[in-house]
Amino acid sequence: MFDLKKLKGKSVALVGGAGFIGHNLALKLKELGAEPYVIDGLQVNNIGYYTSDYEKNINAERYIAFINERLSLLRKAKIGLKIIDVRDYHAISHAINEIKPETVVHLAAIAHANRSNKDPFSTFDHSLRTLENVLDVTRSKGIHVIYFSSSMVYGNFDGETVTEDRECNPMGIYGALKYGAEKLVIGYNQVFNLPYTIIRPSALYGERCVSRRVGQAFIENALVGEDLTVNGDGKEGLDFTYINDLVQGIVLSIIKSNSINQIFNITFGAARSINQLAEIVMEKFPGIKLHHKKRDGLMPERGTLSIAKAQKLLGYTPQHPVEKGFVQYIDWYKNFAESNPQFFKK
Ligand SMILES: NC(=O)c1ccc[n+]([C@@H]2O[C@H](COP(=O)([O-])OP(=O)(O)OC[C@H]3O[C@@H](n4cnc5c(N)ncnc54)[C@H](O)[C@@H]3O)[C@@H](O)[C@H]2O)c1
């Protein structure tokens, strides 16, 4: 699937690379023979966040363990880590000049719609300020910048399968900043000829995530014997995507020249209802029940993202429907809970 010759020794800087997506991507790139380098401040949704005021966060101990495992895996794989705040222009400029990457993947952000709406100032700073710094230090150097956008740029899907050329009507701070950021990336291409790729993922799940989105909350509740709660009637579909599929799409975007100056939906490519996801969890944890509460009006109604373009131009072939990927994820969680029961007390 991958042309390993194109990856051998390729230097890739991952900005926000100690996060959920970034560390999984770094490990895969290293395994395939590339030279990934992680740049991260470790403060946002990371070790700094969970270790300060940890008594306020009931999941802190568990998430600190996940993040420590990420850092340990990166260390064992001999992947370089620079701890810097990318809002600092000089720090990121120095890091890029030292690493001399051929590709930069920009992942830094406040990666939560509801946290973004509660704190727009910080969201702008960590998401857009960091991106502008990265674009400015990479421009005119021929460095390929891969920007992580989101399915939230589309706004309400209105029942359709969305393609990349569909009009965007984002809702709330997170979606607006993602869309603005896409336009900024394209602006740098127009003015400085910066080669870019924009990736729009959706509803990711997988090992060592600490974001507690709906699927993760289901598993964590079930592990401590608590029922599952869904905002809304649960019939809404989401294009749940296993991290390994997304990583495949990013690796292909790094290798294939067809990815240059393109926007791609990288998801599983078929929405499943939240109720269906809950059923998978309830099958694995007999006795657990599902409850519904009022839906958050600021979350757009989403659904399937068409992956036809990524299939055609990149040869992207996701392998994990929820029956496979989500079950794998549940089994990983169960094993972790068995070895670390102290993190799963009610
Ligand atoms: N996880 C998903 O379901 C999903 C879906 C769509 C889009 N995305 C986007 O993908 C990207 C990565 O998501 P993730 O799930 O890995 O998030 P994450 O929160 O796990 O990782 C983000 C990383 O960025 C780092 N960071 C933030 N601000 C920084 C700064 N100022 N300086 C240095 N590092 C900084 C954090 O420390 C963190 O490690 C984000 O842009 C997110 O919006 C994620």
Side-chain angles (χ1 to χ4, degrees), residues 16-22 39-46 70 84-87 106-111 126 130 148-151 174 178 201-204 211 213:
F20 166 55
I21 298 174
I39 299 172
D40 202 296
L42 303 183
Q43 294 301 315
V44 178
N45 199 27
N46 211 303
R70 289 180 192 171
I84 58 170
D85 189 329
V86 180
R87 292 175 298 175
H106 184 279
L107 300 134
I110 293 197
H126 291 290
T130 59
F148 257 78
S149 181
S150 166
S151 61
Y174 180 80
K178 286 291 180 197
S202 178
L204 291 163
S211 293
R213 292 188 186 85

Side-chain angles (χ1 to χ4, degrees), residues 6 84 115 127 131 150 153 227 235 246 250 284 307 311 326:
K6 293 211 168 137
I84 58 170
R115 284 188 205 164
S127 310
L131 174 67
S150 166
V153 294
D227 287 347
K235 291 184 187 150
L246 175 78
I250 313 168
K284 290 280 223 175
I307 54 168
Q311 285 171 319
F326 205 70

Side-chain angles (χ1 to χ4, degrees), residues 152-223:
M152 295 285 278
V153 294
Y154 293 114
N156 282 322
F157 284 25
D158 296 324
E160 4 154 27
T161 294
V162 293
T163 50
E164 292 85 348
D165 53 5
R166 180 336 188 122
E167 189 192 348
C168 291
N169 282 308
M171 289 160 77
I173 306 297
Y174 180 80
L177 280 176
K178 286 291 180 197
Y179 192 49
E182 288 192 0
K183 293 292 181 201
L184 188 65
V185 170
I186 293 169
Y188 265 82
N189 168 264
Q190 291 161 340
V191 178
F192 301 107
N193 214 12
L194 177 133
Y196 74 88
T197 305
I198 291 170
I199 292 186
R200 294 175 178 165
S202 178
L204 291 163
Y205 61 87
E207 290 80 353
R208 297 172 297 281
C209 184
V210 297
S211 293
R212 207 177 143 86
R213 292 188 186 85
V214 61
Q216 184 169 16
F218 283 171
I219 301 173
E220 293 190 339
N221 278 17
L223 281 167

